Amino acid sequence: SKAMFTCDKKGNVLTEIFYDAEGNRIVNHEGADEVHYEYNNSQKSSESYFLNGEAVLCSSGYHTVRYTYNNSNVIIRKDFFDIDGYAVSCKDGYASVAYEFDAEGRTCCTRYYNIYGEIQPAPNEIYAYTRKDYNKVLESEICLQHEYNRI
């Protein structure tokens, strides 16, 4: 299999289309045959999944992921959206994840959010976040699991 790319003048990949050896479009590991990328300056700001020209949810449970960066060009937030642009939980059970970094660039805090923007427990954990200095845990916030009915 191979992928064909279209790029902008800066060399940023705008679309990626997947083909088999005979030149037929095929589905990638995310369940799409085409991925579209958008950029803010030279940073990838989003990626969206398509199958046969139609918007689809990828196998990770979302259509689009949007990225936010810090001044060092490191991703500090990922937000997941459905085909209609609404927040959606990815297969790991959260709609957004935000990262903080220490002075050495190591992740020192990760926070997970539900589709309503509320902090929630990390996947497979009872903690909404843990702040660490790589020698000890500085603080943790226990978050009770809430159930919501999506309308």
Side-chain angles (χ1 to χ4, degrees), residues 89 92-94 114 118-128 142-148:
S89 293
D92 292 325
Y94 52 87
N114 65 22
E118 300 164 332
I119 199 163
Q120 71 171 48
N124 303 313
E125 298 287 340
I126 61 167
Y127 296 104
I142 294 177
C143 181
L144 299 176
Q145 185 92 28
H146 296 283
E147 292 186 22
Y148 297 95

Side-chain angles (χ1 to χ4, degrees), residues 44-94:
K44 181 170 60 172
S45 61
S46 71
E47 61 187 69
S48 302
Y49 295 87
F50 296 84
L51 182 62
N52 300 320
E54 299 290 325
V56 295
L57 297 179
C58 68
S59 63
S60 296
Y62 57 87
H63 169 63
T64 299
V65 57
R66 292 198 184 116
Y67 302 99
T68 305
Y69 296 81
N70 65 14
N71 292 337
S72 300
N73 295 323
V74 174
I75 294 173
I76 58 170
R77 188 174 177 100
K78 295 179 190 176
D79 298 291
F80 301 96
F81 300 93
D82 67 14
I83 293 169
D84 297 317
Y86 294 104
V88 65
S89 293
C90 67
K91 74 176 182 180
D92 292 325
Y94 52 87

